[in-house]
Amino acid sequence: MNRFKASKFRHTEARLPRREAWIAGIRAGSVASCGNHVKASCRWIAFNAEAAGVLGIVPLECEDGGKRTLSQLCCHSDVVTDFDFSPFDQLLLATGSADETVKVWRLPESGQDMPSGAGLTLGPGGGPVDVLHFHPTADGVLASGAGKRVTVWDVGQQQPLTALDPHGDQLQSLAWKPDGRLLGTSCKDKKLRIFDPRASPAASQSVPGHEHNKDSRLLWVGSSDCLISVGFSQMREREVKLWDTRRFSGAMLTVALDTSPGAAIPLYDADTGLLVLAGKGENLLYCFEVAPAQPALTQVTQCRTEGSTRGLATVPRLALDVMACEVLRVLQLTDTALVPVSYLVPRKSTQDFHEDLFPDCTGMLPAAGAQAWWAGDSQQVRRVSLHPARRSTETFSSPIIACTRLQAADTGPTNTNTGPTDTDADRSEGSGYSSPSSLASPSSAATSLSASTGPSSGFVSSPSQKSLQSILGPSSRFRHAQGRVLHRDTHLTNLRGLSLTTPGECDGFCANRQRVALPLLSAGGQIAVLELSKPGRLPDAAVPTIQNGVAVSDLSWDPFDPWRLAVAGEDAKIRLWRIPEGGLQETLCEPEAVLQGHTEKIYSIRFHPVASDLLVSSSYDMTVRIWELSAGREALCLRGHTDQIFSLAWSPDGKKLATVSKDGRLRLYEPRRSPQPQQEGPGPEGSRGARVVWVCGGDYLLVSGFDSRSERRILLYRAQALPEGPLSVLGLDVAPSTLLPFYDEDTSVVFLTGKGDTRVFLYEVTPEPPYFLECNSFTSNEPHKGFVFLPKTVCEVREVEFARALRLGQSTLEPVTFHVPRVKKEYFQDDIYPPTRVWWEPALGGSAWLVGEDGQHRRASLRPADMKPVSEAPKEAPARKFVPASVYLEEKSDEQKKEELLSAMVARLGNRDDPLPQDSFEGVDEDEWD
C-alpha cells in the first residue's frame, strides 16, 4: 500500500453466502496435522472426511440441474494428513498420510467414477507425511515433509531428486517461492529456514522465528524476497511476522493478533496482496493487506462465520467471478459444510471488466519438466488475462499419469486430441509439453458468483458411485439432540468469590440431586453448599460455608448418602463433612471424619459405584488408596505409577479400577487381587492432562487427552486388551483445557467439554466401527468454569430429556438440558429410556466388597404411570409416496390443456352476445339538455 495513495482494496468486503449456497451435507474429519484440510482446483474441491484415509471430493461448480455430487476417494490405510492439487493439471491430486506414503491421483471428468487406485505411489518414507506442496513452475516436482526431513520428488520417475538436511525438530510447514527457485520451512525448533534445493541440501539461511513452538506457518509474498510467518509468541499470543530474506536477521514487522489458542491458517494472494487468516476451531476470518515495501500489514476487514473453522482454502483466480469484482474466494470447512466466502471490491459498474483489480495471473502451462528444472531451467510460467473476452483457452494434462479419458475411450465417444493448439504451438515446442484443448473451457472453469448464491448448491446422490455417507457407518439416533439453558427462574445467580483455580484433575465443583458444592476463593478452603430447590439471586451478604481448613484439590458427593461430602485437601488429608437436613444454615468447622495416609497432595477422589462406604483417592506420592469409611481406615494401596496420576475411574460393576497418568500409560487394576496393575497400555501422547471413563457396559475405556501437537482427542480402548493400543482415535480441536468426559450408560452418549470452553461435544459410542457417531454439539454464549451432570432421575421424560447438567459461569449456575426432538411426545420413548440403574441404593456394604463379595444394582423404569410406551403406540398407515399409474394414464396432452384453459378464460369473461351493462342505462330527453 503506497503511503500517499489509497489502496484500491481498502473497501474490500467479505460476503457470506446464504445457507442455500453452502455445500452442505458433509461430515468433515478432524485430523491432527499441519495441513489446511481442504484444497481446491478449478474443477474439484477435496477435504478431509470423517473416515480415516478418506477424502471427500465435490465439484467446484454446480453440475447440470444445479446439484453437486458428493464422492469419496479412499486414499490410504491411515489418516490423510495433507494433500495438494497440481497448479497446472486441475485433475491431479497428491495425498500424504500417516501410513508414510505419498500417492498421486488423477480425478475423473465430471460424471465419472472416482479412481479405485492411485496413479503412482511414492515411499514409504521414514515417518508419517506431514506436508505436501507441488512446485509452482515445473510439472512433476513435489516437496514432501515427514518428521524432520524434506524430500523433493520427481513424481514421473517416482524417485527423489534430493533430500534436504534434517531439521532440528518436527517440520510444521513448507512453501515454494512462486518463481520456483527457493523453498522455505518452519519447524518446531522455532526456526525458519531457506533452502536452494538445486544448489545444496543444507539450508542457505536460518533465523529464529516465533518464540513458542506451537504450530507455525510460512508463506512467500509473491515472487519478492519477503516472507510471512504466522505463529505464537512466548506469551502464547498469535502473531504475524514479515521478513526480508535479504536482511534475514530479524523480522521487519511483527503484528500481534489475539490470545486464541487455535493454530492460524494463513492464505495469501500474490496478485492482490491480501492475506486471510483463520484459527482452527474459531469462527472469525481476518483479512489484511500486505505491503512489504513500507513494511505494513493493514487490516482490511474481518467477518464472523456461523460455523467453526476446521480448514481453509482459496479458489484459483481463474475460477473467480471477475465481472462481480470478486478478487478472492475462500472456502471454509466446518463440521458439516463447505462455506464459500467471497471478497469483493464495490464498484459502481459491474458491466465492465476492471483491469486495475485483475492483473494478469499465472497460467496453467508449466514452464519446465522435473528434469529440466533440476538441471537449472528457471523459466517462469506465462501469465494470462482474466478478461472474459481475452481469457486463454490453454489447458494442460500432465504426462506423469496417463489421462483417464484415454483409458476410458471405449466407454463412449470422447475427444482424445492431445496435440497443441495453434496459439500454444511455440510454447509447447519450447517446453516439451502439449496442451490438450478437450478440458473445461473458461466459461465452465469459472464459477459464477451470482449462481453460487442461489439454491443450486444442494447435493444429489450419484447413481454410479457410493456417497460419502455410505462409508462413514451408521448415524446416531441422537444426532439431532438439542441442548438449551433453562429459564432464569431456575438459575442460581450472584455467586461471589468462586475459586476458579482448582486443579485440572478436579471438575471445579460437584452436585447431586439436591445440592451443589462450590469451592470459594477465600482463605481456609471454604466451600459453599447451595440447595438446588431454592434457585434465585443469592444475598450480597456472606452465606454459610464449610471451613475445610486447607485449599480444596477435589470434592465429591456420596452417591448413597446425599448429605455426605468428601473433600480432598492440599495437606494430603480427606475430610468427610455431613450437611444437616434442610441445607447448610451455619458455618461448619468440624468434619465428620478425617482420613490420613497419603504423604503428598491428593489429586482426585471417587466413591465406589456399587458398595457403600468405599472411597478411592490418588496422590502426588504416586499411590492410589482405597478407604473404608465406616472404619475410617485405609483398606488397600495400589502402586505401579511412575508419574502424576491424571485420572481414575471405577468400572460399572465396581470390580476394576482404571488410571491414566503423565507417564503416558493407561493402567487397569483389580484392587482385591493385586496392588500392581493387571494390564498396561499406551495412553495419550501429550502430558498436559487426561481423563478416563468406562463405556459400553464396562467392556471399553474412553480416554480424553492431547497429542504431541496439543490437539485434544479421545481414544477408545478394549478393556481386556490395553497393550494393543487404542481401537480408534478422534481429534476434536486445539484448546488448552483437558476435556472432561461424562458418559450416559443408558444412551451410550458421551459429553465432552473443558473448563473455559463454550462448546460441549456429543458422541454416541459404539463397540463397532466407526466407534464414534457425532451428534449435535451445544454451544454457550460465554465460557463456563465447570460443567457437571446430574443423575438421570432428574430428567423430564415427558420432554424427551435424556441428560441434565449444571453450567457454572462467572457468577451464575445454570441448568442445561439435552433432549431429542420427537413427534409423539405423549408417549414414553422407551427406545431412549431403558430401565436405569437404581444408583442411589448400594448393592452391598464396603466391608463385604473388601472380602470378595460382588453386587449388582437393580434397575427401574423411568416411565410415568400415565404414559404409554411409544413401542405400543398404534401404527399409522404410511402415506402414499408415489402417484398412482392411473394419474399418468389419464394425463392430458399440452394441446388439450391449452384448449381447456382457453375455454375456462372465455367462460369467465361471459357470453359475448349478452348486452353490455351500459346498454341498459336510461338516457335523457333532448329538451333536457337545454
Side-chain angles (χ1 to χ4, degrees):
M1 190 185 302
N2 189 284
R3 180 179 177 185
F4 301 105
K5 184 178 179 181
S7 167
K8 54 181 172 286
F9 298 106
R10 68 187 184 280
H11 296 307
T12 301
E13 60 183 29
R15 182 167 299 177
L16 297 174
R18 301 192 303 269
R19 274 186 171 268
E20 292 81 3
W22 292 12
I23 304 175
I26 68 174
R27 296 174 67 181
S30 179
V31 180
S33 71
C34 299
N36 287 7
H37 308 304
V38 58
K39 292 288 180 69
S41 71
C42 290
R43 301 293 297 277
W44 294 101
I45 302 171
F47 61 91
N48 279 110
E50 189 175 40
V54 176
L55 290 183
I57 306 291
V58 64
L60 179 66
E61 60 177 333
C62 296
E63 300 172 353
D64 295 338
K67 302 292 183 180
R68 285 184 172 92
T69 301
L70 179 64
S71 309
Q72 53 88 12
L73 184 65
C74 299
C75 305
H76 296 269
S77 59
D78 207 336
V79 294
V80 180
T81 51
D82 198 16
F83 45 95
D84 194 26
F85 280 101
S86 167
F88 312 114
D89 189 337
Q90 303 302 301
L91 304 178
L92 204 66
L93 175 69
T95 61
S97 170
D99 65 6
E100 304 184 8
T101 62
V102 176
K103 296 184 180 181
V104 183
W105 309 77
R106 176 171 293 282
L107 302 185
E109 301 284 353
S110 58
Q112 299 179 7
D113 290 344
M114 286 292 151
S116 58
L120 53 89
T121 301
L122 309 176
V129 178
D130 295 309
V131 285
L132 291 174
H133 200 182
F134 271 107
H135 196 276
T137 65
D139 178 51
V141 178
L142 177 70
S144 68
K148 302 179 181 181
R149 186 178 294 274
V150 176
T151 304
V152 180
W153 297 87
D154 181 344
V155 179
Q157 299 295 324
Q158 302 185 41
Q159 294 293 330
L161 292 171
T162 183
L164 304 182
D165 286 352
H167 292 65
D169 206 330
Q170 181 76 30
L171 187 72
Q172 292 179 328
S173 73
L174 61 83
W176 286 104
K177 191 175 180 180
D179 63 11
R181 293 182 171 90
L182 301 176
L183 181 71
T185 66
S186 66
C187 178
K188 197 173 181 179
D189 63 3
K190 309 176 189 179
K191 288 186 178 181
L192 307 180
R193 293 173 174 84
I194 307 298
F195 293 87
D196 184 349
R198 294 180 293 185
S200 170
S204 58
Q205 297 185 75
S206 176
V207 66
H210 299 271
E211 296 177 346
H212 202 279
N213 62 1
K214 286 185 69 175
D215 195 5
S216 62
R217 303 291 181 93
L218 186 70
L219 295 173
W220 289 89
V221 182
S223 295
S224 69
D225 294 313
C226 294
L227 290 163
I228 297 172
S229 68
V230 180
F232 291 83
S233 69
Q234 189 174 9
M235 303 303 294
R236 296 192 176 185
E237 285 185 320
R238 287 195 301 197
E239 58 185 8
V240 182
K241 290 190 176 184
L242 194 60
W243 307 80
D244 189 339
T245 56
R246 295 165 297 184
R247 298 179 295 275
F248 209 37
S249 57
M252 293 191 296
L253 177 69
T254 300
V255 176
L257 292 179
D258 50 37
T259 56
S260 297
I265 303 176
L267 303 173
Y268 179 73
D269 180 58
D271 293 325
T272 61
L274 295 180
L275 172 70
V276 175
L277 292 169
K280 289 185 179 180
E282 300 167 17
N283 61 351
L284 192 64
L285 298 181
Y286 295 96
C287 182
F288 296 90
E289 186 172 4
V290 182
Q294 294 189 15
L297 192 68
T298 307
Q299 183 166 339
V300 176
T301 183
Q302 70 178 29
C303 70
R304 193 172 296 276
T305 60
E306 187 169 333
S308 298
T309 301
R310 287 216 174 183
L312 207 67
T314 53
V315 171
R317 289 187 65 77
L318 289 171
L320 298 179
D321 187 356
V322 296
M323 300 308 295
C325 296
E326 183 187 27
V327 295
L328 183 66
R329 190 188 309 165
V330 169
L331 294 173
Q332 182 202 26
L333 177 66
T334 67
D335 292 338
T336 58
L338 281 161
V339 183
V341 181
S342 294
Y343 288 84
L344 298 97
V345 176
R347 289 291 171 94
K348 291 183 178 179
S349 173
T350 57
Q351 304 298 320
D352 302 323
F353 177 75
H354 297 274
E355 298 274 0
D356 60 326
L357 297 181
F358 300 100
D360 291 353
C361 70
T362 304
M364 289 196 296
L365 284 183
Q371 292 300 322
W373 173 81
W374 184 245
D377 190 344
S378 295
Q379 295 185 57
Q380 298 301 298
V381 177
R382 189 176 64 182
R383 302 182 73 83
V384 297
S385 173
L386 290 176
H387 195 294
R390 301 196 299 269
R391 184 171 293 187
S392 173
T393 59
E394 63 184 14
T395 54
F396 174 76
S397 180
S398 177
I400 62 176
I401 299 180
C403 184
T404 54
R405 288 177 287 112
L406 295 177
Q407 296 173 352
D410 57 345
T411 61
T414 56
N415 183 3
T416 59
N417 174 28
T418 58
T421 61
D422 294 339
T423 58
D424 299 321
D426 295 339
R427 177 75 173 176
S428 301
E429 183 178 356
S431 62
Y433 286 94
S434 62
S435 56
S437 59
S438 57
L439 291 176
S441 63
S443 61
S444 64
T447 302
S448 170
L449 181 65
S450 59
S452 69
T453 57
S456 59
S457 60
F459 281 113
V460 61
S461 298
S462 171
S464 61
Q465 60 192 5
K466 295 180 180 179
S467 66
L468 180 60
Q469 283 83 353
S470 66
I471 68 162
L472 295 180
S475 58
S476 171
R477 55 181 169 162
F478 299 97
R479 63 188 179 277
H480 300 304
Q482 299 172 357
R484 64 183 179 91
V485 179
L486 293 184
H487 192 269
R488 283 184 59 88
D489 291 345
T490 63
H491 298 186
L492 284 165
T493 60
N494 198 33
L495 303 181
R496 295 188 171 193
L498 296 177
S499 175
L500 306 179
T501 58
T502 52
E505 294 77 22
C506 175
D507 291 345
F509 70 105
C510 65
N512 59 20
R513 287 180 297 175
Q514 302 168 352
R515 53 190 60 87
V516 58
L518 300 162
L520 301 180
L521 192 59
S522 53
Q526 296 187 40
I527 303 169
V529 178
L530 307 175
E531 299 295 314
L532 295 177
S533 59
K534 299 176 182 179
R537 178 183 173 88
L538 295 182
D540 293 336
V543 297
T545 61
I546 294 175
Q547 296 283 351
N548 193 59
V550 294
V552 177
S553 57
D554 197 14
L555 68 172
S556 179
W557 289 104
D558 188 336
F560 310 121
D561 187 349
W563 294 276
R564 181 158 65 176
L565 177 68
V567 180
E570 293 187 353
D571 60 353
K573 297 178 182 178
I574 300 173
R575 292 168 174 84
L576 301 178
W577 300 88
R578 180 160 295 278
I579 309 302
E581 295 280 351
L584 199 61
Q585 304 297 329
E586 59 183 6
T587 299
L588 286 183
C589 298
E590 291 298 327
E592 183 182 60
V594 179
L595 306 177
Q596 300 185 54
H598 285 295
T599 58
E600 299 287 345
K601 173 184 171 182
I602 296 174
Y603 297 125
S604 54
I605 53 176
R606 296 289 184 272
F607 277 95
H608 197 279
V610 176
S612 61
D613 292 326
L614 282 182
L615 181 74
V616 64
S617 61
S618 61
S619 166
Y620 271 92
D621 59 18
M622 299 182 198
T623 64
V624 175
R625 302 176 189 244
I626 298 175
W627 308 85
E628 185 181 2
L629 304 185
S630 58
R633 69 180 183 91
E634 176 189 320
L636 297 170
C637 181
L638 309 180
R639 305 184 183 275
H641 297 89
T642 60
D643 208 332
Q644 178 183 353
I645 304 168
F646 284 141
S647 175
L648 49 80
W650 287 106
S651 61
D653 59 9
K655 297 179 181 178
K656 298 179 181 180
L657 186 71
T659 67
V660 59
S661 63
K662 193 174 182 179
D663 58 11
R665 304 296 292 173
L666 182 63
R667 293 174 174 87
L668 188 62
Y669 291 85
E670 289 193 37
R672 293 175 295 184
R673 291 191 176 184
S674 172
Q676 296 298 322
Q678 177 197 27
Q679 290 187 69
E680 286 192 32
E685 299 175 10
S687 59
R688 299 176 58 180
R691 290 296 184 96
V692 60
V693 65
W694 294 78
V695 298
C696 300
D699 295 328
Y700 294 82
L701 285 167
L702 184 144
V703 179
S704 64
F706 297 85
D707 67 358
S708 57
R709 297 189 180 94
S710 296
E711 182 187 41
R712 298 195 296 189
R713 51 173 48 190
I714 53 178
L715 306 90
L716 187 67
Y717 295 81
R718 186 178 290 107
Q720 299 302 323
L722 294 188
E724 297 178 5
L727 291 173
S728 180
V729 179
L730 179 64
L732 296 183
D733 60 4
V734 177
S737 60
T738 305
L739 286 169
L740 312 178
F742 169 78
Y743 178 73
D744 179 21
E745 62 181 19
D746 293 340
T747 59
S748 294
V749 173
V750 64
F751 301 79
L752 299 138
T753 190
K755 298 177 189 177
D757 288 2
T758 58
R759 182 178 182 184
V760 180
F761 297 94
L762 277 74
Y763 288 91
E764 183 178 358
V765 185
T766 65
E768 300 87 17
Y771 300 109
F772 300 112
L773 304 179
E774 187 172 9
C775 309
N776 279 346
S777 58
F778 166 76
T779 304
S780 55
N781 295 327
E782 61 178 14
H784 39 253
K785 313 305 178 185
F787 208 91
V788 172
F789 282 81
L790 296 174
K792 191 64 171 278
T793 49
V794 304
C795 294
E796 180 54 67
V797 297
R798 298 180 188 274
E799 296 298 324
V800 201
E801 177 188 338
F802 68 97
R804 180 175 296 199
L806 294 176
R807 177 185 173 275
L808 181 62
Q810 192 72 29
S811 61
T812 61
L813 191 68
E814 306 167 348
V816 180
T817 65
F818 296 87
H819 63 277
V820 179
R822 288 289 173 96
V823 175
K824 299 180 179 180
K825 285 188 178 181
E826 65 273 17
Y827 292 98
F828 176 72
Q829 311 293 322
D830 49 354
D831 60 326
I832 292 179
Y833 301 107
T836 190
R837 287 192 306 115
V838 183
W839 52 266
W840 57 92
E841 295 179 0
L844 72 165
S847 57
W849 182 87
L850 288 171
V851 297
E853 295 184 23
D854 291 316
Q856 187 175 3
H857 280 132
R858 65 182 180 89
R859 293 186 173 267
S861 174
L862 296 176
R863 180 171 69 91
D866 59 343
M867 291 187 75
K868 189 177 182 180
V870 71
S871 58
E872 299 177 10
K875 304 295 182 183
E876 296 180 0
R880 186 184 295 274
K881 296 182 179 179
F882 303 100
V883 180
S886 58
V887 175
Y888 294 105
L889 295 175
E890 295 176 2
E891 189 174 357
K892 299 175 176 138
S893 66
D894 291 341
E895 292 299 326
Q896 289 174 320
K897 291 178 182 178
K898 288 180 182 178
E899 288 293 334
E900 289 185 1
L901 182 60
L902 288 173
S903 299
M905 293 174 63
V906 171
R908 179 168 294 185
L909 290 173
N911 193 341
R912 285 175 290 180
D913 296 333
D914 294 339
L916 296 174
Q918 56 266 35
D919 293 340
S920 62
F921 294 166
E922 293 184 1
V924 296
D925 293 336
E926 291 295 334
D927 56 354
E928 293 183 17
W929 288 102
D930 298 331

